[in-house]
Amino acid sequence: MSVRLPSGLPRPGLPLQSPAQEKEEKAQQPGEGRSSGKASAKGGTGKGGVAVKGGSAKGASAKGGLEQAGPQDGMDFGRSGETERKEGGGAKGAQQQQTGMASGTSQGAASLGSLEQPPALAAQTPQTAPALPQPPPAAPQVGVPPQLARQPAASESSRERTATDGQSSEAAKQALEGRAKLRIAVLNRLHRGLTEVEGKMGAFLANPGRQGVVTLPVVLSVSSVTFEWWKSANAVPEDRAYLAQVLGEPGSVDDATLLGTLRSEIAQAFAEFPRTPQGVEARRLYEAVLQKYEAARIQPIIAGHDTGPVVEECARLGLPCDKDFTRSVLLSPWMLAVGQSPDEGTAAQVMVAGLTLPQLGALVGHLRQLNPLLSNAQLRALLLRASTDMKLALRKVMGQQEVEQVQALARQLLRLKAVQHLAV
C-alpha cells in the first residue's frame, strides 16, 4: 500500500530542515509526528520521494537513511526513550531491517541489489556514494574444487560397492560350494546305480531260465537323474528354495531357468564320472557281467533313451530334449537297445526303433525258439539287417514286415547250420 507523506518531510528541490525546526514542527503537529515514525518504520520514500512497498520499502528506507545525513541518524539514536517511542524506532528499525537482509544468503543480497534505487542515489558517482555493507559469503556459494566436492559421494559409493562386492562374492562362494555338493551327490548316484544294475544282472545270471533273453526296464541318463531332483523341488516349495540356493539361483527364479541350470550341472557330473576311479571300476565290473551274458547266449535288452515324465516337463517349459540328454549310460556293444529314431545305432551298438522294450524282448525270445543255435552277435546282426534298407543304405523303423523278415532270416540261418552239419 502507498504511504501518506508527512508534511514535514523534505520535498525535491527544498533544503533540509534543521533539528530545531524539526522538533518545533513535531511539537506543533504531534499526530503527524507519529505518522512520520510509522512511515519510517514501514519504509518511506528516499531522497527522490519515490514510494515503495513490501520488501522494497524496507531496503529503500535503509538506503535513504544512509544517504540523507549522518548527523540526523546520530541525533535519532541519541534521542530520549519518549521521542523514540513516538517515532516508533524508525532509524533503529531500518538498521535492523538492513542487517536482517545482509545476514541472509547470497540470493537475498542479489535481490537487495536489484531493488529500485532512488534517483539521487543512482545519480551519485562511485567516489561519493557511501559503501553499503556487504553480506557475508554463504556456505553453498563457497568455491570448492569439483573433485573435492564429489569426494564424499565417491567414497560413499566405494564403500557401498565394497559391501555389495562382498555380498556378491559370498553368494558366489556359497553357490560354488552348493554346486560342488550337488556334483558329488550325482557322482555317488551314478556309482550306486551302475553297481546295482551289475549286482542284479549277476544275480540273475545264476538262474537265467530258458528264454535266452532278459529285459532291463532301467534307464540311467541325465534326464532320469535330473527328474529325481526335480520332482521333489517341483512339489515342495521348501525343496525348491533349497535347490535354488544350492544352484546359486535367486528364490524368484522361474522353472525353466532352474531346471536348465540343474540339467547343466548333472550333465557335467555325467561327463566327469567315467574319469573318476570309482567310475572306472564300476564300469569294468558292469562290462564283465555283460561278457558273461554273451558267453551264456543270453541277450540283455534295455531302453536306449529315457521316455519318462521329464520329457513332458521339458516340453511344458520349452526346454530342448535332445538325445544326449535322454541317452542311457547303460548302453554297451553287448546290449541290444530300443532307439528313438531309425538312424540311431551302428553295427557295434545295435539299436532298433519302432518297437517297445517288451515287444523287442518278445521278438528276441521268439527268435531264440525258432533258432536255438543263434548267438547274441548273430541275433543282433539279424535285427540290424532287418531294420536296414539295403538298396538305399538307410535305416528304417521295425514294422510288421521287418518282423516277418527277421523271423525268415532266423529260419534261413538255422537251415544253413543244418546243411553245414550234414555236410560235415
Side-chain angles (χ1 to χ4, degrees):
M1 60 179 288
S2 61
V3 181
R4 183 173 62 86
L5 298 175
S7 59
L9 291 180
R11 299 293 187 268
L14 297 179
L16 298 175
Q17 295 179 355
S18 63
Q21 295 175 352
E22 184 180 357
K23 289 182 179 181
E24 183 179 357
E25 185 177 354
K26 288 182 178 180
Q28 295 175 0
Q29 300 177 358
E32 294 182 357
R34 284 192 216 90
S35 301
S36 174
K38 294 180 180 179
S40 176
K42 292 182 179 180
T45 61
K47 189 174 181 180
V50 181
V52 294
K53 301 178 181 180
S56 300
K58 296 180 181 180
S61 176
K63 291 183 179 181
L66 290 174
E67 181 189 0
Q68 286 178 2
Q72 184 179 359
D73 293 338
M75 290 179 64
D76 292 339
F77 282 107
R79 292 173 186 173
S80 61
E82 182 68 23
T83 307
E84 191 172 359
R85 282 193 303 270
K86 288 182 179 181
E87 297 184 358
K92 186 175 181 180
Q95 184 179 5
Q96 291 176 354
Q97 292 173 3
Q98 182 179 359
T99 306
M101 290 291 291
S103 62
T105 60
S106 60
Q107 294 179 357
S111 62
L112 179 63
S114 63
L115 292 177
E116 184 181 359
Q117 297 180 355
L121 184 59
Q124 288 183 356
T125 59
Q127 291 80 4
T128 60
L132 296 177
Q134 298 295 329
Q141 300 295 328
V142 176
V144 181
Q147 62 273 15
L148 296 180
R150 291 193 299 266
Q151 186 175 0
S155 61
E156 183 179 357
S157 61
S158 176
R159 290 193 299 268
E160 293 178 356
R161 184 171 60 254
T162 303
T164 305
D165 292 345
Q167 293 178 359
S168 301
S169 60
E170 184 67 22
K173 182 179 179 181
Q174 293 179 359
L176 289 177
E177 293 178 354
R179 295 191 179 194
K181 294 178 181 179
L182 177 63
R183 185 78 56 85
I184 295 175
V186 174
L187 292 176
N188 292 335
R189 171 66 181 89
L190 285 174
H191 183 268
R192 184 176 69 253
L194 199 58
T195 304
E196 288 178 357
V197 171
E198 180 266 332
K200 291 180 180 179
M201 293 186 69
F204 180 79
L205 191 59
N207 188 15
R210 296 178 297 178
Q211 296 293 327
V213 61
V214 57
T215 58
L216 298 175
V218 178
V219 179
L220 192 59
S221 62
V222 178
S223 59
S224 63
V225 177
T226 299
F227 189 72
E228 293 178 5
W229 264 268
W230 178 251
K231 64 181 179 181
S232 176
N234 196 29
V236 183
E238 290 77 7
D239 293 348
R240 188 185 190 280
Y242 178 73
L243 179 61
Q245 180 182 0
V246 167
L247 295 176
E249 296 288 349
S252 59
V253 65
D254 57 304
D255 292 346
T257 304
L258 184 61
L259 181 57
T261 306
L262 179 62
R263 285 174 47 170
S264 177
E265 289 297 323
I266 293 180
Q268 293 179 14
F270 267 73
E272 183 182 351
F273 178 71
R275 299 191 297 267
T276 60
Q278 294 81 3
V280 172
E281 179 64 18
R283 190 71 188 187
R284 185 187 67 80
L285 296 176
Y286 176 68
E287 296 289 343
V289 172
L290 293 181
Q291 291 178 6
K292 294 178 180 181
Y293 273 77
E294 190 78 6
R297 292 197 301 175
I298 301 174
Q299 180 60 59
I301 304 175
I302 63 170
H305 292 274
D306 178 23
T307 58
V310 72
V311 180
E312 299 178 359
E313 188 70 10
C314 291
R316 181 182 68 86
L317 298 176
L319 296 176
C321 196
D322 51 7
K323 295 179 180 179
D324 293 336
F325 177 59
T326 59
R327 184 179 291 114
S328 177
V329 297
L330 299 177
L331 287 173
S332 175
W334 290 280
M335 281 280 194
L336 182 62
V338 176
Q340 287 183 337
S341 60
D343 58 346
E344 280 190 290
T346 59
Q349 179 62 68
V350 180
M351 299 182 71
V352 178
L355 299 177
T356 63
L357 184 63
Q359 290 174 346
L360 184 57
L363 177 59
V364 171
H366 183 62
L367 293 178
R368 290 285 191 191
Q369 293 177 357
L370 293 177
N371 189 353
L373 301 178
L374 285 175
S375 64
N376 289 352
Q378 291 174 340
L379 185 63
R380 293 191 297 268
L382 292 178
L383 289 171
L384 179 62
R385 191 186 187 288
S387 60
T388 304
D389 191 342
M390 296 300 177
K391 294 181 180 180
L392 301 177
L394 295 176
R395 297 294 305 280
K396 55 184 179 179
V397 178
M398 289 286 292
Q400 184 62 33
Q401 183 178 356
E402 287 73 25
V403 170
E404 294 177 357
Q405 181 183 358
V406 73
Q407 293 178 11
L409 290 175
R411 295 189 186 97
Q412 184 179 358
L413 187 57
L414 180 60
R415 289 194 294 267
L416 291 175
K417 287 287 185 179
V419 170
Q420 182 181 2
H421 284 289
L422 290 175
V424 174

